[in-house]
Amino acid sequence: MRVAMFGYQTWGHRTLRALLDSEHDVVLVVTHPKSDHAYEKIWSDSVADLAEEHGVPVLLRNRPDDVVTHLKEAEPDIIVANNWRTWLPPEIFTLPRHGTLNVHDSLLPAYAGFSPLIWALINGEPEVGVTAHMMDEELDAGNIVLQRSVAVGPRDTSADLFHKTVDLIAPVVTEALGLIASGRTEWAPQDRSRASFFHKRSIEDSRIDWTWPAADLDRLVRAQVDPYPNAFTFHRGQRLRIVKASVSQGFYGGTPGRIFIKEGDGVVIVAGADARFGRNHGLVVERVRTEDGTELAAGDYFRTMGGYLTGQP
């Protein structure tokens, strides 16, 4: 088939790499210009550079303005999209005879929208994955062609889950295109009663609320490991990033945010809205990063116990 590809960052790069390695002919690539947005500078392998290396025509667009004319000239049989950041109108996604195959890094219908791996980890999901579905007018809601999942390990970070799922892109794209090329047209509708839709992450979403249970805070920290903007709190008026943490072995009571006691290689921070009853685990902060970028073991940063970590300066 003749394939046009819409995509961006490493997700789009892996998709284009799979297309170039396949039996299909890539006739046009549409991608976004480079961005200084904190999340778009992460996993930023260039789709444009890969296309140009293989002599594939490239369009750089923030939105798909004036793309229809170029698509008609390229005459694709199908569009494949992965991590295209703005809405594609029906005049684009219905233009090829096979429509548009969208590749999304969640197990749809759950976690449609943005930053699905981070949200899934924060929410304690047991597995994540990649879904290839036929695009329709509702974002990430089209019929499912193919879906693959991987387990979330007990100490996995968002970076771990990125590597697990990005490795699924090539086989999912290749197999899904094979099914479409074979003539199949009937795919599995999504169960909309199970659908969930998440917004883009921002720095504000990384702010620690010490009334959360320690297990939830542990997942938040693991979801915001490098290269993502770390989960943060404030100590003595200064922003403090939590680089590594875990749930305490012991139970600790008091006021959420209290810098309490050393445990193992870290320092326990009281956590949970009902911490006053003393039946909560705390969050053991193990490594921190100060506003000037200095990373320290928690025991070296917190030289004395007492005081509080807060949500505001």
Side-chain angles (χ1 to χ4, degrees), residues 1-151:
M1 294 186 293
R2 293 171 61 82
V3 182
M5 185 265 182
F6 283 67
Y8 188 49
Q9 296 177 280
T10 301
W11 296 270
H13 188 278
R14 288 292 188 98
T15 302
L16 178 56
R17 177 78 270 172
L19 294 173
L20 292 168
D21 290 341
S22 74
E23 63 183 358
H24 307 290
D25 183 16
V26 183
V27 295
L28 181 67
V29 165
V30 188
T31 188
H32 300 301
K34 290 182 179 180
S35 170
D36 288 329
H37 187 283
Y39 282 90
E40 292 185 7
K41 292 171 69 175
I42 300 168
W43 316 124
S44 56
D45 293 305
S46 174
V47 171
D49 288 352
L50 181 60
E52 289 169 357
E53 288 169 12
H54 290 80
V56 179
V58 180
L59 299 177
L60 293 177
R61 299 288 189 274
N62 282 314
R63 297 185 178 277
D65 302 326
D66 78 354
V67 167
V68 172
T69 299
H70 295 278
L71 279 172
K72 289 180 177 178
E73 291 173 352
E75 298 182 329
D77 298 305
I78 191 168
I79 293 171
V80 177
N82 192 348
N83 200 40
W84 176 260
R85 310 296 279 179
T86 58
W87 183 65
L88 291 179
E91 64 177 337
I92 288 179
F93 71 72
T94 63
L95 188 151
R97 63 190 181 97
H98 290 300
T100 295
L101 180 76
N102 187 56
V103 182
H104 181 71
D105 54 337
S106 84
L107 297 174
L108 293 174
Y111 296 94
F114 302 91
S115 305
L117 294 179
I118 294 177
W119 289 114
L121 180 54
I122 290 171
N123 291 335
E125 299 293 348
E127 60 181 8
V128 293
V130 171
T131 302
H133 69 95
M134 301 309 300
M135 187 177 287
D136 63 15
E137 293 191 13
E138 187 174 352
L139 185 62
D140 297 332
N143 292 348
I144 293 172
V145 177
L146 193 66
Q147 192 170 73
R148 294 287 181 268
S149 65
V150 291

